[in-house]
Amino acid sequence: MGVPLIQQVTVARYLLGKKLAGVKRYPLVLMLEPLFQCNLACAGCGKIDYEKDILQQRVSVEKALAAAAECGAPMVSIPGGEPLIHKEMPQIVAGLVKMKKFVYLCTNAILLKKHINDYTPSPYLTMSIHLDGLEKRHDESVCMDGVFVKAVEAIKMCVERGFRVTINCTLFSGEPPEEIADFFDYAMTLGVEGITVSPGYSYQHAPRQDVFLGRTSSKQLFRDVFRIGRARKSNWKFNQSPMFLDFIAGNQAYQCEPWGTVTYNVFGWQKPCYLLVDEGHVSTYKELMETTQWENYGVGKNPKCDNCMAHCGFEGTAVNDTFANPLKAARVALFGPDIDGPMAPDLPILYGNRSDAAAVRIPVSAITKKAKPAAEKA
């Protein structure tokens, strides 16, 4: 597990305090989206499908720090868009570090060399650099040649300067397990703290829908990758809980806890999570927690959620399971996920009826991007 002890202890103390206080829903991570604008147009991204005036909007330093204080999450992930485009990003990061939040600054690294002197190494700051595989695979994923080389150069530069560095990896369809294992092996040679890995979520507004994995395909892919890693005796470190890895290998029937990763962006607090971008926004964290109909979201509860196994949705569930079942979690941490036994059953479909279930079994590759109505464009 590639997470420093200081972060593990801080997060554990936070979780224990919430549980002792009887708090039912609380965030583990704040997803702070300071802008949607990006210098790439990745095939699987649903975050840049906005009109020009929205892409030019920014979350201010004051609002960013206020959101972090308001929700109280111990960790803050800063995705986008591309955060380094934001001219006040150094001030936002410095403010969050001063608050002793564990910050993951997510970047495609194209601008990192230019801006690296704006940041200071800290136990509370991690450069989370996007890599979806080795050179050919990654450059295809981001739809631009040469990005892999720049990202690797940025990783080496950050490691040499003493920054905490992780690799943020999303896996899509058509990736051979051997190539993924080769990539994980290569990543470990770069001196990074760990890899954050997740199956891609099928954004409704993504330019391509044929790149996304279904749940069964995701589980089998991760089992195949872990099997190769064991055969090679690879020493892969992941910047996430062992129980989440057990989940994506098909051994846990977890339900999403969307309140575990709350999102604040240029529109305010996004309902219900980072991935569902069309469910509305509210102005305060309190309103988000009290007015969101949480029972309407999750696997089997909402068709939009049924193919999701994303890290931001299920890591909180995995961490809570670790607290509730420490012996089970210790066993997985020591021996790794089971890759040969039967998979945990899928959660039941609770919306509609069984005769309607075929509607959610349409393969993701058959989904097309929904055009915006004329009135909405206006």
Side-chain angles (χ1 to χ4, degrees):
M1 184 174 176
V3 180
L5 183 60
I6 181 177
Q7 185 171 333
Q8 293 184 47
V9 171
T10 301
V11 172
R13 187 184 301 122
Y14 168 82
L15 292 171
L16 184 60
K18 294 294 184 182
K19 291 181 182 301
L20 290 176
V23 181
K24 182 180 179 182
R25 297 188 178 109
Y26 48 85
L28 186 63
V29 179
L30 166 63
M31 299 293 276
L32 177 62
E33 291 183 288
L35 78 171
F36 296 124
Q37 187 177 9
C38 190
N39 48 8
L40 290 175
C42 303
C45 180
K47 289 291 184 176
I48 58 174
D49 187 30
Y50 291 101
E51 303 296 337
K52 183 178 179 180
D53 60 329
I54 294 175
L55 292 177
Q56 292 176 340
Q57 292 181 25
R58 305 288 186 265
V59 173
S60 68
V61 177
E62 294 74 19
K63 287 185 176 180
L65 300 184
E70 190 178 2
C71 77
M75 294 180 284
V76 179
S77 178
I78 306 179
E82 170 50 52
L84 296 186
I85 294 175
H86 197 307
K87 293 181 179 179
E88 294 181 311
M89 187 49 54
Q91 290 83 2
I92 291 175
V93 169
L96 292 170
V97 168
K98 187 176 181 180
M99 296 167 67
K100 294 189 175 181
K101 303 293 184 182
F102 290 96
V103 181
Y104 286 80
L105 182 57
C106 306
T107 174
N108 58 40
I110 292 176
L111 298 173
L112 193 50
K113 185 176 181 180
K114 177 181 178 181
H115 294 290
I116 191 62
N117 291 327
D118 296 334
Y119 302 93
T120 303
S122 165
Y124 293 95
L125 173 60
T126 298
M127 297 296 184
S128 179
I129 297 178
H130 175 207
L131 277 181
D132 284 344
L134 294 172
E135 185 170 3
K136 184 176 183 295
R137 169 64 64 172
H138 179 68
D139 287 353
E140 286 177 350
S141 173
V142 301
C143 304
M144 182 182 291
D145 292 337
V147 178
F148 177 87
V149 172
K150 290 182 179 179
V152 169
E153 290 175 351
I155 289 171
K156 293 178 179 178
M157 175 187 66
C158 290
V159 170
E160 289 174 358
R161 291 184 177 222
F163 285 94
R164 292 180 58 188
V165 183
T166 61
I167 287 174
N168 182 11
C169 173
T170 303
L171 299 185
F172 297 99
S173 66
E175 301 197 44
E178 293 81 6
E179 288 186 11
I180 298 170
D182 290 344
F183 169 61
F184 288 171
D185 283 338
Y186 175 72
M188 293 298 98
T189 70
L190 298 176
V192 298
E193 192 172 275
I195 303 169
T196 302
V197 64
S198 179
Y201 173 75
S202 51
Y203 283 104
Q204 184 180 5
H205 299 296
R208 287 180 56 189
Q209 293 293 328
D210 60 320
V211 298
F212 299 110
L213 289 162
R215 292 175 68 83
T216 302
S217 299
S218 293
K219 297 170 188 177
Q220 190 58 57
L221 176 62
F222 280 105
R223 284 197 173 196
D224 292 342
V225 172
F226 293 152
R227 183 176 292 108
I228 294 169
R230 289 184 190 178
R232 295 179 180 180
K233 295 183 168 44
S234 298
N235 185 24
W236 299 334
K237 294 181 180 179
F238 294 95
N239 197 259
Q240 48 210 143
S241 70
M243 293 309 299
F244 175 77
L245 300 178
D246 203 45
F247 162 68
I248 59 177
N251 299 315
Q252 305 296 328
Y254 286 156
Q255 181 55 274
C256 171
E257 294 182 357
W259 56 84
T261 305
V262 293
T263 299
Y264 184 84
N265 55 37
V266 298
F267 299 129
W269 293 96
Q270 179 174 299
K271 293 184 174 184
C273 70
Y274 174 68
L275 298 172
L276 294 181
V277 298
D278 295 327
E279 304 297 298
H281 295 77
V282 293
S283 58
T284 68
Y285 170 73
K286 184 174 185 291
E287 189 178 358
L288 172 74
M289 298 304 288
E290 293 181 352
T291 66
T292 301
Q293 294 180 300
W294 302 108
E295 66 277 4
N296 292 343
Y297 300 98
V299 179
K301 297 181 179 181
N302 191 310
K304 296 179 181 179
C305 305
D306 281 342
N307 266 332
C308 182
M309 294 182 69
H311 173 253
C312 60
F314 293 90
E315 180 65 60
T317 313
V319 170
N320 282 326
D321 189 27
T322 299
F323 263 74
N325 300 283
L327 293 179
K328 179 179 72 171
R331 185 170 60 253
V332 173
L334 284 173
F335 301 108
D338 181 13
I339 54 176
D340 295 311
M343 293 186 184
D346 287 329
L347 296 174
I349 295 174
L350 302 178
Y351 55 86
N353 57 57
R354 285 289 173 180
S355 63
D356 297 328
V360 301
R361 292 196 183 123
I362 298 173
V364 179
S365 59
I367 303 174
T368 56
K369 184 176 176 182
K370 186 174 72 173
K372 290 183 179 180
E376 185 180 339
K377 288 184 178 180

